[in-house]
Amino acid sequence: MTTTTAAPNDQGHRFTLRTTAQVGAEPANAVEARGIVKHYGATKALDGVDLTVRQGTVLGVLGPNGAGKTTLIRVLSTLIRPDAGSATVGGYDVLRQPKQLRRTIGLTGQYASVDEYLSGSENLYLIGRLLDLSRRDAKARAVELLERFSLTEAAGRPAKTYSGGMRRRLDLAASMIGRPRVLYLDEPTTGLDPRTRNEVWEEVRRMVAEGSTVLLTTQYMEEAEQLATDLTVIDRGRVIANGTVDGLKREVGGRTLRVRPARPGELAEMVRCLTDAGVLGATATPDGELLSVPIGGDEQLTAVIGVLGGRGFGIAGIDTVVPSLDEVFLAITGKTSTDSTAVIEETQR
Ligand SMILES: Nc1ncnc2c1ncn2[C@@H]1O[C@H](COP(=O)(O)OP(=O)(O)OP(=O)(O)O)[C@@H](O)[C@H]1O
Ligand SMILES: [Mg+2]
């Protein structure tokens, strides 16, 4: 199949048409890492990590402090060499093609890396020029990104006068200058206020809509929920869960059936009746209004409703709830603290 793609020519601001035969077809997976190991003395920062980021998607990498997230990003951006394992990004090998790989990626590190003494617009212009943009394009891109991250007013001030959130925004803008095909964001919104966090999320979505692939580490489940389609959870240098956001919720937490009795006084009796019928885990919710029953599958749902209906209980409403990602995360990381070999793999996609 030959499709045409627009690619900047040497002047950057004009476009020439190339065919995929010339630029090479994009690999199905933007990032593929297998068996990555990185030890620091006795610390196994990464202990055999496999990870895949599908082209054009956002992978959320979750894990507690010290899990190995930043180390993984360092390996995948060629900043450190792994002790073992292999990885490709945009089809380029981390060990054998570091230069090409670096041109493919944008990186926002966990700690701000802008030049303190340059202004916001000078920082962005400089990076644009380092990335081979023409003067005109570097300037235009700086103006555009300063505007998008609400930094236009502060654009002329040295970055050292910026607040923490402003620096973070400038850092993100800097990683997006070259319109990287693969963007790594290491805890991009830690310490940002809710409005700024939303701006960052919008910008990440826009990048993805424009064709970028994103690998995002975060401590915020809401952020993962907002942005990621797939999740990889790591703990102590190992992958402990992997799958889609919805899949992991189903896998780890299952669903909970909530039933509102037509006659509130019958709630306790409903619980007793289900327990007698062998249904495990039936309880009243703490507010005493609903019946709550963990559900393994659709058959169980039908059976519970059948038992209640068969015993003549009136039902005013039913609902099923999936666990929050917070609950999923706690369940997964909690499990490994008692059973270090537990591995949860979501298989049904
Ligand atoms: N340069 C280094 N020298 C020694 N140990 C290191 C080095 N870099 C990381 N480590 C250790 O490797 C482990 C993983 O660290 P890493 O920074 O990758 O974790 P993280 O998941 O990013 O944590 P956080 O959520 O706190 O950012 C930690 O135990 C850390 O102390
Ligand atoms: Mg980190």
Side-chain angles (χ1 to χ4, degrees):
M1 186 181 68
T2 303
T3 50
T4 48
T5 52
N9 65 6
D10 293 339
Q11 282 78 48
H13 56 277
R14 271 181 273 130
F15 286 82
T16 51
L17 287 178
R18 292 185 204 170
T19 65
T20 46
Q22 284 167 281
V23 295
E26 298 238 59
N29 293 325
V31 182
E32 247 179 41
R34 295 288 168 262
I36 301 289
V37 173
K38 181 74 195 175
H39 292 180
Y40 291 106
T43 306
K44 295 175 176 174
L46 298 174
D47 199 21
V49 167
D50 294 343
L51 168 144
T52 301
V53 194
R54 294 181 291 136
Q55 196 74 250
T57 66
V58 180
L59 173 78
V61 175
L62 303 174
N65 291 136
K69 303 180 295 296
T70 299
T71 307
L72 184 61
I73 285 193
R74 291 204 172 118
V75 169
L76 295 176
S77 37
T78 75
L79 294 172
I80 53 173
R81 283 176 74 90
D83 299 336
S86 62
T88 59
V89 180
Y92 298 118
D93 191 285
V94 278
L95 295 175
R96 287 190 294 276
Q97 299 165 295
K99 273 194 192 143
Q100 293 97 318
L101 191 153
R102 275 183 229 132
R103 284 201 204 103
T104 308
I105 61 170
L107 166 66
T108 296
Q110 191 169 5
Y111 305 102
S113 57
V114 294
D115 187 307
E116 300 267 294
Y117 292 92
L118 295 180
S119 71
S121 58
E122 284 165 345
N123 262 294
L124 297 189
Y125 177 78
L126 180 72
I127 292 164
R129 291 292 285 154
L130 288 173
L131 290 170
D132 285 342
L133 294 189
S134 68
R135 283 172 213 277
R136 201 213 296 187
D137 281 351
K139 194 146 186 248
R141 189 82 176 127
V143 168
E144 180 192 350
L145 285 164
L146 287 163
E147 178 69 35
R148 282 197 197 176
F149 282 100
S150 310
L151 289 168
T152 303
E153 262 175 52
R157 276 174 24 208
K160 66 176 176 184
T161 68
Y162 285 16
S163 71
M166 290 164 81
R167 280 175 203 226
R168 199 87 195 122
R169 268 138 63 197
L170 184 60
D171 220 31
L172 283 159
S175 71
M176 294 181 181
I177 291 240
R179 295 188 176 85
R181 276 160 55 206
V182 180
L183 186 62
Y184 302 138
L185 302 173
D186 195 5
E187 301 196 27
T189 64
T190 297
L192 295 188
D193 64 41
R195 190 181 64 88
T196 312
R197 184 168 295 174
N198 271 311
E199 280 175 12
V200 171
W201 290 349
E202 273 309 302
E203 214 42 56
V204 173
R205 286 192 196 103
R206 191 202 302 239
M207 295 283 294
V208 175
E210 288 173 1
S212 292
T213 301
V214 176
L215 192 161
L216 162 93
T217 78
T218 184
Q219 302 280 355
Y220 301 118
M221 298 305 133
E222 193 196 347
E223 183 156 286
E225 190 113 56
Q226 285 277 339
L227 296 177
T229 26
D230 297 328
L231 294 179
T232 293
V233 185
I234 61 176
D235 193 9
R236 283 169 291 178
R238 299 188 70 90
V239 174
I240 55 168
N242 192 28
T244 60
V245 174
D246 291 341
L248 282 175
K249 282 182 173 180
R250 277 199 309 271
E251 186 88 2
V252 173
R255 284 178 298 167
T256 303
L257 169 68
R258 300 284 177 96
V259 178
R260 183 174 294 281
R263 294 173 292 275
E266 289 183 353
L267 183 55
E269 214 177 316
M270 281 174 146
V271 171
R272 232 183 346 263
C273 163
L274 286 174
T275 308
D276 289 347
V279 175
L280 297 175
T283 53
T285 54
D287 59 13
E289 296 209 343
L290 304 174
L291 170 71
S292 171
V293 189
I295 294 296
D298 291 347
E299 325 73 56
Q300 205 185 346
L301 187 70
T302 314
V304 169
I305 299 296
V307 168
L308 293 174
R311 305 285 160 89
F313 291 109
I315 293 175
I318 62 169
D319 197 5
T320 55
V321 290
V322 289
S324 72
L325 206 49
D326 282 282
E327 289 165 326
V328 171
F329 182 70
L330 287 172
I332 294 171
T333 51
K335 216 169 256 178
T336 54
S337 60
T338 49
D339 175 7
S340 60
T341 59
V343 173
I344 299 151
E345 189 79 32
E346 193 248 318
T347 47
Q348 300 145 335
R349 297 226 167 174

